[in-house]
Amino acid sequence: MTRVAAVDCGTNSIRLLVADADPATGELTELDRRMTIVRLGQGVDRTGRLAPEALERTFAACREYAEVIRGLGAERVRFVATSASRDAENREEFVRGVVDILGVEPEVITGDQEAAFSFTGATKELTGHEHLSGPFLVVDIGGGSTEFVSGDDGVRAARSVDIGCVRLTERHLVVDGQVPEVPTEDQISAVRADIERALDLAEETVPLTGGCRPGEGGHTLVGLAGTVTTVAAIALGLHEYDPAAIHHARVHAGQVGEITAKLLTSTHEERAAIGAMHPGRVDVITAGALVLLSIMNRTGAEEVVVSEHDILDGIAWSIA
């Protein structure tokens, strides 16, 4: 076995996984998994730069993670940075800070690389699953982008498009620097139109329309990341976030529609009162839920299989 540490730094959150990986058996034994909302992508879509306060939040999380990595004695560390740091003019400042703290250089990966890691992490344990058949369509709804990956034992097609819960919120829902209590119909329409344009782009590479009907020669839809897991937690009626209950839960399209409709008419206080809602997702969950619902409508998926294993697990396997 090899003890590895994988760090995934996205637009909204930074996450750490320390695990023992055994390539011979395909087993990944988790030792520590944690997530911190740092909103690294704050304002990037508008300014093209990483904000100083966003960098400091991210570096503070890195210092915490460095202690965990040292304490558990990880032999290999890989730090992957995704959408926000791809887009930023001052990404070198981000790179220097990470190297100083963790001793490894963050790899600013492409959307296609991000998609491949997500697919491996999400499907490695699903292949051959008694109740879930491939091929799979994996959708990873992040803060700045959404990845679409189709495949069975490996990736067949992948596309990353610039719709994520943070990016869409900042583009269409922020007024005078604040997210309104309840979005207007015009704002919702703008978000939906942006999503549909992005889905058209994704479909140029990855088959979506009518492609998620297990048992009829289609894909099993697998959903990853905080938007999807939070929607699943709400669907399950959880009073607090429970990864074990959420992992491999199946959420029906009708439930996603009902939850999205409720989020669209909920105030900030009402969303914050949801037991399984992370405080850092309160303002962006509405846009994220609209992305998930639009994907299910476009694909015709009757349900989404929710995975707690995602790009982070894929990064860990890439080290091993």
Side-chain angles (χ1 to χ4, degrees), residues 166-300:
V166 175
R167 194 185 296 269
L168 289 172
T169 299
E170 293 188 348
R171 277 183 185 173
H172 304 294
L173 302 182
V174 172
V175 179
D176 296 328
Q178 299 292 325
V179 178
E181 285 288 305
V182 178
T184 66
E185 287 299 323
D186 286 347
Q187 288 175 315
I188 295 169
S189 295
V191 173
R192 290 185 187 276
D194 209 349
I195 295 170
E196 291 303 320
R197 285 191 293 269
L199 294 183
D200 290 341
L201 287 174
E203 199 159 15
E204 292 176 0
T205 307
V206 181
L208 299 180
T209 307
C212 290
R213 299 184 186 279
E216 300 176 20
H219 294 81
T220 294
L221 180 65
V222 183
L224 316 181
T227 286
V228 179
T229 58
T230 300
V231 169
I234 296 171
L236 293 169
L238 301 179
H239 297 297
E240 59 183 21
Y241 196 89
D242 183 352
I246 293 167
H247 190 47
H248 290 173
R250 297 181 177 193
V251 183
H252 194 272
Q255 292 175 291
V256 174
E258 291 171 6
I259 291 166
T260 302
K262 186 171 182 180
L263 290 170
L264 286 169
T265 57
S266 298
T267 65
H268 181 282
E269 184 178 356
E270 288 169 337
R271 294 192 301 275
I274 297 172
M277 181 77 69
H278 190 287
R281 299 201 189 279
V282 173
D283 285 339
V284 299
I285 188 64
T286 300
L290 281 169
V291 174
L292 176 59
L293 180 61
S294 298
I295 291 170
M296 297 189 77
N297 288 339
R298 177 70 70 100
T299 60

Side-chain angles (χ1 to χ4, degrees), residues 41-51 84-91 167 170:
Q42 172 192 331
V44 167
D45 195 55
R46 176 177 52 84
T47 67
R49 296 181 62 83
L50 298 168
S85 50
R86 275 201 305 266
D87 302 337
E89 294 173 4
N90 60 334
R91 56 182 173 268
R167 194 185 296 269
E170 293 188 348

Side-chain angles (χ1 to χ4, degrees), residues 27-101:
E27 293 182 2
L28 196 67
T29 304
E30 180 180 315
L31 301 174
D32 195 295
R33 187 189 294 260
R34 59 184 65 196
M35 183 271 291
T36 310
I37 299 286
V38 294
R39 199 67 62 87
L40 178 62
Q42 172 192 331
V44 167
D45 195 55
R46 176 177 52 84
T47 67
R49 296 181 62 83
L50 298 168
E53 60 271 29
L55 283 169
E56 183 47 45
R57 289 193 297 266
T58 304
F59 294 155
C62 287
R63 286 188 281 271
E64 174 194 327
Y65 291 0
E67 292 184 11
V68 175
I69 292 168
R70 283 194 295 269
L72 290 174
E75 300 166 46
R76 300 178 188 173
V77 181
R78 189 171 189 180
F79 187 115
V80 166
T82 53
S83 182
S85 50
R86 275 201 305 266
D87 302 337
E89 294 173 4
N90 60 334
R91 56 182 173 268
E92 286 306 315
E93 185 179 350
F94 165 69
V95 170
R96 287 195 303 272
V98 172
V99 170
D100 287 345
I101 297 166

Side-chain angles (χ1 to χ4, degrees), residues 11 82-84 86-87 109-116 118 138-142 144-150 157-164 167 197-206 311:
T11 302
T82 53
S83 182
R86 275 201 305 266
D87 302 337
I109 61 173
T110 66
D112 287 344
Q113 289 173 306
E114 188 174 348
S118 295
V138 175
V139 293
D140 185 341
I141 303 174
S145 62
T146 294
E147 280 62 55
F148 296 82
V149 201
S150 64
R159 186 70 180 264
S160 176
V161 290
D162 285 340
I163 49 167
R167 194 185 296 269
R197 285 191 293 269
L199 294 183
D200 290 341
L201 287 174
E203 199 159 15
E204 292 176 0
T205 307
V206 181
I311 185 173

